[in-house]
Amino acid sequence: MIERVIILENIDPVVFYGVNNCNMQLIKTLFPKLRLMARGHVLKVIGDENETAIFEQKIKELEKYCTEYNLLNEEIITDIIKGNAPIEIKQDHLIIHGVNGKPIIARTENQQKLVKAFESNDLVFALGPAGSGKTYVAIALAVRALKNKEVKKIILSRPAVEAGEKLGFLPGDMKDKIDPYLQPLYDALQDMIPTVKLKEYMDNNVIQIAPLAFMRGRTLSDAIIILDEAQNTTPHQIKMFLTRLGLNAKMVITGDMTQIDLPVSQSSGLIQALQILKGVPGIGRIEFNKKDIVRHKLVQRIVEAYEKYDEKKKALKSAEISGKNNNITN
């Protein structure tokens, strides 16, 4: 009789062991001659040397499947332990499998272009309207890189600029005050990483979410860095952020030129950066449009309605200026 200790580094215990340990109970029935004890990421097995070796091999196969698909159920466990490969449902343009095995896919042509640009450039600008999936796809690419051990951490940032409203003196510590600005980033991560694993990543600073001001002075290496809502950066801020890029790191900058919330007197750093960096090797640029909007069908119609309104407003202003010029000439 020997004891083996198996460390399950990459799993989420809730997903791996199942609700009320149902997965673990099934594994025990499939290995009736072994004694099993599980706590967190540590699994102990006692029994015959040959049988414990087979058990460890099968557990590692289950761990690999669970890590990749964020899913483990009775059918998958039975197939893997009995030596049958689980049925794989292939998805075109799959990025990763999210929570409960949900496939995260590059759904539109421009989302697919963003995936390719990310793979071939260290800095990518993803520009376009709300709901086009630019930030969501960028975060999915970052999670994939982390799961594949291509990088050691993910850093997500946003400028803390109010979108017209005044939040006032919010209660709580610094994290409580800035979290409302960063909630969209949390929402995307919660779609892709099981809750317990996400908390572990954040507690260990493997995934860091912080406002733009917190980036000053840092060198960000071995990381995927995403700056969201970059249209609300000042020229000084975006320059500071872009120069944080360290070794073995990639950046994705997302923004929507139609939703600039800066004071009228302040120019957008994103617009300036795009002009300055145009044609620089190693920088990709993907422009999304209203056809890429993957939220509720009404969102596309809303965007179109606002575009028409803005065009009409510009035309009236242009006509007004032209009329004034004619009066002056006359």
Side-chain angles (χ1 to χ4, degrees):
M1 299 284 282
I2 67 162
E3 177 183 300
R4 290 179 187 266
V5 178
I6 304 167
I7 307 297
L8 304 170
E9 294 180 0
N10 301 312
I11 56 108
D12 181 306
V14 174
V15 177
F16 189 85
Y17 297 131
V19 178
N20 296 324
N21 277 338
C22 62
N23 290 344
M24 202 63 216
Q25 296 303 322
L26 174 60
I27 292 169
K28 285 180 179 180
T29 62
L30 294 170
F31 288 94
K33 296 179 182 178
L34 301 178
R35 287 176 55 203
L36 307 178
M37 291 163 283
R39 183 181 292 272
H41 293 273
V42 180
L43 185 57
K44 291 183 181 180
V45 55
I46 299 171
D48 174 77
E49 182 173 359
N50 184 54
E51 194 154 349
T52 55
I54 293 170
F55 174 82
E56 182 172 8
Q57 178 193 336
K58 294 299 181 182
I59 287 295
K60 286 297 180 182
E61 289 177 25
L62 290 172
E63 178 189 20
K64 182 181 177 183
Y65 188 97
C66 187
T67 302
E68 182 175 353
Y69 293 98
N70 282 323
L71 179 70
L72 207 58
N73 58 34
E74 182 178 337
E75 184 180 359
I76 293 163
I77 293 168
T78 304
D79 281 345
I80 289 176
I81 289 178
K82 291 187 175 180
N84 304 319
I87 296 172
E88 291 188 25
I89 301 172
K90 292 191 175 181
Q91 297 273 356
D92 291 336
H93 309 298
L94 176 73
I95 303 174
I96 55 166
H97 285 88
V99 174
N100 296 323
K102 172 189 173 185
I104 308 294
I105 297 166
R107 295 168 60 180
T108 69
E109 185 179 349
N110 282 322
Q111 288 184 6
Q112 292 157 23
K113 285 180 181 178
L114 175 55
V115 173
K116 290 178 182 176
F118 177 84
E119 291 168 351
S120 55
N121 296 279
D122 288 338
L123 172 61
V124 180
F125 288 95
L127 314 168
S132 55
K134 53 192 185 296
T135 303
Y136 195 80
V137 170
I139 292 176
L141 290 166
V143 172
R144 183 179 73 178
L146 182 66
K147 289 179 75 169
N148 292 343
K149 301 188 185 299
E150 295 166 15
V151 294
K152 294 179 181 177
K153 54 184 177 283
I154 296 172
I155 298 164
L156 307 175
S157 186
R158 266 187 160 204
V161 176
E162 295 169 347
E165 74 280 12
K166 295 292 180 183
L167 297 181
F169 294 96
L170 293 170
D173 58 17
M174 180 61 75
K175 184 177 183 300
D176 294 327
K177 293 177 189 295
I178 63 177
D179 270 357
Y181 295 105
L182 306 174
Q183 191 58 47
L185 305 179
Y186 289 109
D187 291 343
L189 287 169
Q190 286 164 357
D191 263 7
M192 301 173 197
I193 303 173
T195 304
V196 174
K197 192 67 181 176
L198 178 57
K199 185 177 186 304
E200 179 187 320
Y201 278 148
M202 297 189 73
D203 288 346
N204 295 328
N205 285 325
V206 174
I207 294 178
Q208 302 169 27
I209 304 179
L212 180 59
F214 287 23
M215 296 296 108
R216 185 175 300 280
R218 301 183 66 183
T219 299
L220 307 174
S221 302
D222 295 310
I224 304 297
I225 310 119
I226 297 171
L227 175 60
D228 191 32
E229 300 287 346
Q231 76 275 3
N232 288 327
T233 60
T234 65
H236 183 72
Q237 284 175 327
I238 200 164
K239 180 184 176 185
M240 177 274 290
F241 185 84
L242 290 169
T243 53
R244 301 306 94 200
L245 190 64
L247 297 174
N248 187 38
K250 286 177 180 275
M251 272 187 180
V252 181
I253 313 292
T254 72
D256 178 359
M257 304 300 196
T258 68
Q259 295 195 28
I260 296 173
D261 300 313
L262 293 167
V264 178
S265 59
Q266 183 65 262
S267 59
S268 170
L270 177 60
I271 293 173
Q272 186 192 75
L274 290 168
Q275 294 169 346
I276 293 171
L277 300 176
K278 188 175 181 179
V280 174
I283 298 178
R285 174 172 171 166
I286 306 299
E287 298 201 19
F288 291 75
N289 55 55
K290 59 191 175 188
K291 291 180 181 177
D292 295 300
I293 293 173
V294 291
R295 289 181 185 166
H296 193 286
K297 59 186 178 183
L298 268 178
V299 175
Q300 185 171 336
R301 295 175 195 165
I302 290 166
V303 171
E304 289 172 350
Y306 270 90
E307 284 179 354
K308 288 178 183 176
Y309 173 79
D310 289 339
E311 286 169 10
K312 186 177 179 181
K313 196 174 177 182
K314 284 178 184 176
L316 288 170
K317 191 171 184 179
S318 179
E320 185 182 333
I321 292 170
S322 178
K324 284 181 180 178
N325 290 338
N326 287 338
N327 289 335
I328 292 169
T329 305
N330 293 333

